[in-house]
């Protein structure tokens, strides 16, 4: 007899019912750093006009949705079927999903076929009655009018022409390149020139150094790599503080400010979000260039619901 998956049950409850979140989901809101995002601002390449774009994370390992602690292999907590996780966030109002193939990132396998099918099913579900999301996201890279109501950014193990072509062929809105941007700068420069807005670079930071290959090896100095990517014309950066990922310890606002001070390109924040106050603090950096925030552990752990989060950054 198969026992119910407690992670999947919690995910469904939290995604669909705000009352399922802990009563302290708004704790700390009164201490928010600088209020919400600038009203009326447009998110470049995002699905939300005004406010901060929120991207619920669906990390996949062994065909299952999981969360890691500081990105370390072996720290997985399972949350069931990744399609059900993505559909839950879509029903709750997400217009972007951050989808990661952890096995590909660690070089220990691939979930490519599963993730391609997942992206296709998200597109189909968006056209069904009762599914949140607009009939199309006009102006979003890779998303045509009349297309899916949720956009996907896809990451994990995209390091050569074959893996890039396979990722782009899934119909995702954009891909995130990490390790290759550190180890193969000439290739990444060419990819950026050919695909523009459909390519973002992930800057996974530990101190002042970048982490590569599933965060298991050193990738050089952050500012040196950032300067090189600026010359290459990188369209967007996803900035993660590795030490805070999955820790619910708060975002590294200083790191985000540091990156924004050195680029005019949009930045997506990742790592450490634990409360609505954290999201408001990130949203306060919108004028500096932070356009979005990836949320993982806080949503899966029920710290707040996605509906509450969306309301917090739109207020």
């Amino acid at each position: 007899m198969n026992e119910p998956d407690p992670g999947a049950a919690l995910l469904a409850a939290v995604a669909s019912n705000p009352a399922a979140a802990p009563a302290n989901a708004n704790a700390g809101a009164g201490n928010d750093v600088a209020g919400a995002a600038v009203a009326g601002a447009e998110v470049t390449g995002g699905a939300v006009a005004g406010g901060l774009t929120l991207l619920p994370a669906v990390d996949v390992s062994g065909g299952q949705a999981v969360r890691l602690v500081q990105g370390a292999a072996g720290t997985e907590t399972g949350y069931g079927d990744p399609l059900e996780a993505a559909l839950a966030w879509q029903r709750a109002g997400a217009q972007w999903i951050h989808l990661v193939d952890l096995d590909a990132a660690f070089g220990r396998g691939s979930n490519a076929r599963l993730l391609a099918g997942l992206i296709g099913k998200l597109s189909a579900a968006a056209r069904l009655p009762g599914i949140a999301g607009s009939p199309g996201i006009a102006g979003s890279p890779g998303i045509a009018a009349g297309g899916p109501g949720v956009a996907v950014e896809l990451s994990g193990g995209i390091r050569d022409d074959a893996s890039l072509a396979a990722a782009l062929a899934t119909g995702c809105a954009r891909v995130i390149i990490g390790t290759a941007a550190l180890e193969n700068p000439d290739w990444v420069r060419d990819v950026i020139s050919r695909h523009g807005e459909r390519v973002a670079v992930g800057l996974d930071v530990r101190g002042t150094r970048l982490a590569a290959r599933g965060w298991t090896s050193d990738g050089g100095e952050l500012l040196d790599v950032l300067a090189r990517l600026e010359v290459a014309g990188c369209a967007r950066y996803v900035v993660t503080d590795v030490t805070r990922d999955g820790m619910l310890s708060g975002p590294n606002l200083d790191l985000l400010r540091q990156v924004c001070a050195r680029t005019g390109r949009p930045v997506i924040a990742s790592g450490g979000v634990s409360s609505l106050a954290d999201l408001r603090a990130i949203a306060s950096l919108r004028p500096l260039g932070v356009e979005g925030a990836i949320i993982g552990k806080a949503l899966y752990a029920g710290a707040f619901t996605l509906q509450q989060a969306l309301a917090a950054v739109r207020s």
Side-chain angles (χ1 to χ4, degrees):
M1 178 176 177
N2 293 327
E3 294 295 326
D5 182 346
L10 174 61
L11 169 64
V14 171
S16 61
N17 179 15
N24 67 346
N26 285 294
N31 297 323
D32 115 53
V33 171
V38 179
E42 183 175 334
V43 177
T44 305
V48 180
L52 191 74
T53 301
L54 300 183
L55 302 90
V58 180
D59 294 356
V60 182
S61 177
Q64 297 294 302
V66 302
R67 297 303 304 161
L68 305 181
V69 176
Q70 294 183 334
T75 64
E76 294 89 344
T77 298
Y79 290 94
D81 183 353
L83 176 61
E84 290 304 315
L87 288 172
W89 303 136
Q90 186 179 19
R91 286 190 293 267
Q95 292 185 329
W96 278 87
I97 299 290
H98 177 76
L99 184 62
V100 183
D101 187 338
L102 288 174
D103 293 326
F106 284 116
R108 64 189 183 192
S110 172
N111 297 279
R113 182 173 296 182
L114 182 150
L115 298 189
L118 185 156
I119 292 170
K121 289 173 182 176
L122 280 176
S123 300
R127 297 183 178 92
L128 298 176
I131 296 293
S134 61
I137 308 172
S140 293
I143 302 296
V150 64
V152 174
E153 63 174 28
L154 180 59
S155 178
I158 303 171
R159 296 170 186 160
D160 54 29
D161 287 333
S163 55
L164 174 65
L168 292 172
T170 64
C172 65
R174 63 176 170 248
V175 298
I176 301 172
I177 296 176
T179 295
L182 311 179
E183 297 181 351
N184 196 348
D186 291 339
W187 178 75
V188 169
R189 186 184 306 111
D190 178 63
V191 167
I192 289 170
S193 70
R194 286 188 285 123
H195 297 287
E197 285 278 344
R198 289 198 74 189
V199 174
V201 169
L203 299 174
D204 301 329
V205 186
R206 185 182 286 114
T208 66
R209 306 287 293 180
L210 290 167
R213 297 197 171 270
W215 300 353
T216 61
S217 64
D218 184 82
E221 281 290 331
L222 166 64
L223 298 185
D224 293 343
V225 173
L226 179 57
R228 186 177 72 229
L229 290 166
E230 283 291 285
V231 173
C234 181
R236 178 174 282 99
Y237 301 100
V238 179
V239 179
T240 303
D241 184 328
V242 174
T243 66
R244 301 188 185 216
D245 191 72
M247 298 296 290
L248 299 176
S249 56
N252 188 338
L253 301 179
D254 288 339
L255 172 62
L256 295 172
R257 293 187 188 100
Q258 185 180 30
V259 172
C260 287
R262 288 165 174 80
T263 180
R265 304 294 187 172
V267 170
I268 296 173
S270 177
V273 170
S274 66
S275 67
L276 298 180
D278 286 343
L279 291 176
R280 293 190 181 99
I282 295 172
S284 75
L285 303 183
R286 283 281 289 119
L288 302 183
V290 176
E291 72 167 7
I294 295 167
I295 319 173
K297 182 69 172 288
L299 283 177
Y300 287 88
F304 49 77
T305 68
L306 183 58
Q307 294 98 325
Q308 289 170 333
L310 289 167
V313 298
R314 287 173 179 162
S315 61

